[in-house]
Amino acid sequence: MKPRLLLSALCLSLLFSPMPALAGDGHDHGDAPPVASGNGPKRQPDGSVFLPKPAQRQIGVRTLLVEPGELPRTHELAGKVVMDPNAGGKVQAIVAGRVTPGPRGLPLPGQQVKKGEVLAYVTPEVGGNSRSLAESRLRRLRELSDTVPRKLIEEAEAAVANEQLVAPVSGVIASANVVSGQVLEARETLFEIVNPERMLIEALAFDMAVASDVAGAFVAVGEQKLPLRLVGVARSLREQALPLTFRGEGGALAALAVGQPVRVFVQTRSTVPGIRVPMAALMKNPANQSIVWVKTAPERFEPRTVTAEPLDGTHVAVTSGLKAGDRVAVRAATLINQIR
């Protein structure tokens, strides 16, 4: 009897015990939330960011140890790229006529040309009858060369001869406004030639005191800063502003085009206490305040609200919000700012 009683008790316990839910049993038990990983990048309740070392290496985080110092006070001016009159020029027709290509054909924008190279020809007095009359007049004047002024013969020769349009300087064709067979008027501009490594930057200063206190100037070309040298200050206002002309030289100028707007950072002789920080480190928080990310622990970054002034186009001067010895994220700061 005892074995039978033990078997019955075991069956009853199995019958009334709760069974675990099996996948695909037809009952909807709801989607269980995924288990949060404590080792992934995340934003902390205090606003800081937890960023593990593997994630830092993956996104390429780099930090910079900053130190305070005296930095030049800088003004940001609106400017544009203009042609250097000593390194560029225009090709214009002296007489009206029809355009024919030069020995190498009509040059295209971006093509290299040399000084004195024939770019095109202009045939004056378009039309077969006019051409024949001009040639007949030239022959008649040459027969009467002993009695007519030399001036009339030269004018007749100019009317018949094709005018050669030559390049005034060596450089690159910046613009071409002509096609084969086009009829031109006198003094019409056909080509513009520039030297891409010698161009001028013109900036407008609305504060007259800036023009007399220029210690240096820079313009940002991509991730590079191009130093500029002040050439001259105009003595007449243009749109209530004083034009300042700067000269820049080097291969970085090849990335700029004539007429392109640029930002010119003019440094004065006065200084301001601050910390030099790359512009890539400057971010915006949800309140539209300027912040930088400071590394306070090996895997922790803290946002700091700062006040910054322009410096040289690639760096800014942080005047408040940082202290000596802070490690500021200067690379991948945008990715850190996006972590939620």
Side-chain angles (χ1 to χ4, degrees), residues 35-61 293 298-301 332-340:
V35 179
S37 175
N39 296 326
K42 60 183 176 181
R43 184 70 65 96
Q44 303 290 353
D46 60 352
S48 62
V49 169
F50 171 73
L51 191 61
K53 283 293 184 180
Q56 294 183 32
R57 289 190 289 268
Q58 184 178 8
I59 65 176
V61 175
W293 288 94
E299 296 182 339
R300 185 173 181 269
F301 291 84
T334 305
L335 300 177
I336 298 176
N337 200 45
Q338 295 175 1
I339 296 176
R340 294 292 181 264

Side-chain angles (χ1 to χ4, degrees), residues 203-246:
L204 299 179
F206 291 90
D207 187 359
M208 305 306 171
V210 177
S212 59
D213 191 24
V214 177
F218 297 89
V219 62
V221 182
E223 297 182 356
Q224 303 180 9
K225 63 176 182 179
L226 177 67
L228 303 176
R229 178 170 55 88
L230 180 64
V231 176
V233 180
R235 294 302 174 185
S236 61
L237 295 180
R238 182 192 304 167
E239 300 176 357
Q240 304 302 317
L242 197 63
L244 309 179
T245 304
F246 299 90

Side-chain angles (χ1 to χ4, degrees), residues 56 65 96 137 151 185 193 196 207-208 215 233 245 277 286 298 328:
Q56 294 183 32
L65 187 66
R137 181 172 179 268
K151 178 181 178 181
E185 296 293 336
I193 304 174
D207 187 359
M208 305 306 171
V233 180
T245 304
V277 173
V328 177

Side-chain angles (χ1 to χ4, degrees), residues 154-179:
E154 292 177 353
E155 291 178 353
E157 291 176 348
V160 173
N162 292 336
E163 179 191 354
Q164 292 184 350
L165 301 179
V166 299
V169 294
S170 299
V172 176
I173 300 293
S175 64
N177 305 312
V178 63
V179 294

Side-chain angles (χ1 to χ4, degrees), residues 87-89 91 103-104 107-108 110-120 165-173 191-196:
V91 179
R104 297 172 51 191
L108 301 175
Q111 181 177 332
Q112 292 276 351
V113 295
K114 296 182 179 180
K115 182 178 180 179
E117 180 180 345
V118 178
L119 306 180
L165 301 179
V166 299
V169 294
S170 299
V172 176
I173 300 293
F191 306 100
E192 288 187 355
I193 304 174
V194 298
N195 186 343

